[in-house]
Amino acid sequence: MPFVLYVLALAVFAQGTSEFMLAGLVPDLAAELEVSVSAAGLLTSAFAVGMIVGAPLMAVLSRRWDRRRALLGFLSAFLLVHVVGAVTTSFAVLVVTRVLGALANAGFLAVALTAAAGMVPPGAKGRATSVLLSGVTLACVAGVPAGAVLGQAWGWRSAFWAVALVSAPALFALVRSLPGADDTGVRAGADEPPAQAGPQHTDPVTGGRSVSLSRELRALRGPRLLVTLLLGALVNGATFCTFTYLAPLITDVAGFDDSWVPILLALFGLGSFLGVTAAGRVADTRPLRLLTVGGAALLAGWVLFALTAGSQLAAVALVLVQGTLSFAVGSTLISQALYAAAEAPTLSGGFATAALNVGAALGPWAGGLALSAGTGYRAPLWVSALLVALALLVGGVARAVAARRATHRTGEDGAVTAGAPRASDAPRTPPR
């Protein structure tokens, strides 16, 4: 993997820490700003809404931008809004800073995902995606628990300051690793021989032939891609639903002391890192098996967690297991979305990011509704199970429809076989 991909992952680490750190800060933040816990939880949804709007918007706006300046600009804006968030005393202003920070994060991640896919061979997008997303998972392992520790020691504002400080060396590293406008370091030729020959897009990421915006937008309407994005939104919604309210779950239901919150957040992050790493090894060769088996196990895990949340031993084990399964399935869906949107090289990353953050907004919102209904802190676990069950149902229906269409085409034209892969199929193994 090109070295610059790991530099991008460093910046994603800072951004992922910001996106997830509220899981350990919600109770204290709610108390200081005099809002309810469910209202404070909506800060995660506000960030996700900014990502939803920003990812496709920034992907479209930055199609012709110099990648070096785009990445540096997005990261600089991200740093500045966290300084504002650290000093504000207004909950409304804090919400605005979360949305603006998300817009900057979305623009950065949209460009970075496209860059990651463009600097590796055609059949290695899963590995490249896993390297980039390792920054997110490491944020869960180290950044989020560290934020929780800082919040307990010096208040939630210290976590916002920490994100700004971590973003600074990431910004410096990008300046050093992206040397110029003509060769931004985010293509294969910057660190190793070109990944593939033949015509490609004429931006600094992919080089070669230009792809029009209208053609890319048409490619984004493909049934296979739409199904994959919907599945990603549902699975990520399940993940964020529980993760956002994990701190009160493990203290009020499992009976852990507050000092255990950073430890269990780190355990969830460790699971997410293991899941992304494992998925990166098989997502390019056996994605359907991973999604089917992993999805079923994920559903079973959420149900079991809801039933046994009062047991500290079960809570510890399932925090790790669910973190692993959630990110293994989620990162595989991202890579499959990039395969499905191969004809949209500059927009695919933005729309994949937007879909995942639809889930990141849906999950905390649905969990907050359940909490507001007085159902207790186990409720987000049941909502997570429901979202994964819906994802499995949608995936099963999509596969059945694709198989039926293939069989129908076989009857009309003998040249098409029932098992032949088509653009309308659900996620499948990419060509070797």
Side-chain angles (χ1 to χ4, degrees), residues 12-91:
V12 171
F13 166 77
Q15 295 168 351
T17 298
S18 173
E19 184 171 7
F20 299 142
M21 68 182 181
L22 291 184
L25 304 176
V26 164
D28 290 341
L29 189 152
E32 180 178 333
L33 297 182
E34 299 181 347
V35 297
S36 67
V37 170
S38 60
L42 289 178
L43 287 170
T44 300
S45 294
F47 196 97
V49 169
M51 293 284 286
I52 293 167
V53 174
L57 177 62
M58 295 302 173
V60 171
L61 292 178
S62 65
R63 288 182 79 247
R64 303 300 180 187
W65 291 359
D66 168 55
R67 289 305 191 252
R68 178 178 186 270
R69 293 176 181 174
L71 291 170
L72 294 176
F74 287 137
L75 188 55
S76 297
F78 179 82
L79 188 158
L80 290 175
V81 298
H82 278 76
V83 172
V84 175
V87 300
T88 185
T89 57
S90 167
F91 182 73

Side-chain angles (χ1 to χ4, degrees), residues 75-377:
L75 188 55
S76 297
F78 179 82
L79 188 158
L80 290 175
V81 298
H82 278 76
V83 172
V84 175
V87 300
T88 185
T89 57
S90 167
F91 182 73
V93 171
L94 186 60
V95 171
V96 172
T97 66
R98 297 302 287 169
V99 174
L100 294 178
L103 289 173
N105 188 358
F108 185 95
L109 191 56
V111 175
L113 275 172
T114 302
M119 68 174 89
V120 297
K125 292 180 181 179
R127 286 185 60 202
T129 300
S130 71
V131 171
L132 188 65
L133 294 183
S134 68
V136 177
T137 61
L138 289 174
C140 294
V141 174
V144 175
V149 170
L150 288 173
Q152 291 177 357
W154 294 297
W156 62 270
R157 297 178 189 278
S158 62
F160 279 73
W161 281 114
V163 168
L165 291 175
V166 170
S167 298
L171 189 64
F172 176 76
L174 280 177
V175 171
R176 297 296 300 271
S177 301
L178 304 180
D182 293 332
D183 186 355
T184 63
V186 289
R187 61 177 179 177
D191 295 285
E192 58 189 18
Q196 54 185 326
Q200 302 172 42
H201 194 275
T202 56
D203 60 31
V205 176
T206 55
R209 174 174 59 86
S210 176
V211 179
S212 69
L213 176 60
S214 60
R215 180 176 174 180
E216 291 203 45
L217 291 175
R218 285 195 301 271
L220 294 172
R221 297 199 300 263
R224 177 190 168 202
L225 174 62
L226 294 177
V227 169
T228 305
L229 294 179
L230 176 58
L231 296 178
L234 291 171
V235 169
N236 209 43
T239 304
F240 271 79
C241 179
T242 292
F243 188 71
T244 299
Y245 302 104
L246 188 59
L249 173 68
I250 61 181
T251 55
D252 290 20
V253 179
F256 283 100
D257 185 77
D258 287 344
S259 61
W260 277 84
V261 171
I263 297 173
L264 290 179
L265 289 173
L267 192 62
F268 186 92
L270 175 61
S272 68
F273 179 77
L274 295 175
V276 166
T277 302
R281 298 178 183 276
V282 299
D284 292 316
T285 56
R286 295 185 296 276
L288 284 179
R289 182 177 301 176
L290 191 156
L291 292 174
T292 302
V293 176
L298 185 60
L299 172 59
W302 287 130
V303 172
L304 183 60
F305 200 171
L307 294 173
T308 63
S311 166
Q312 293 187 345
L313 180 61
V316 169
L318 288 169
V319 163
L320 176 65
V321 169
Q322 292 305 95
T324 302
L325 291 172
S326 294
F327 279 80
V329 174
S331 64
T332 300
L333 287 168
I334 294 177
S335 65
Q336 289 302 300
L338 296 177
Y339 280 117
E343 295 184 6
T346 63
L347 300 185
S348 56
F351 279 78
T353 301
L356 292 181
N357 283 279
V358 168
L362 172 67
W365 173 77
L369 283 182
L371 289 176
S372 297
T375 52
Y377 286 116

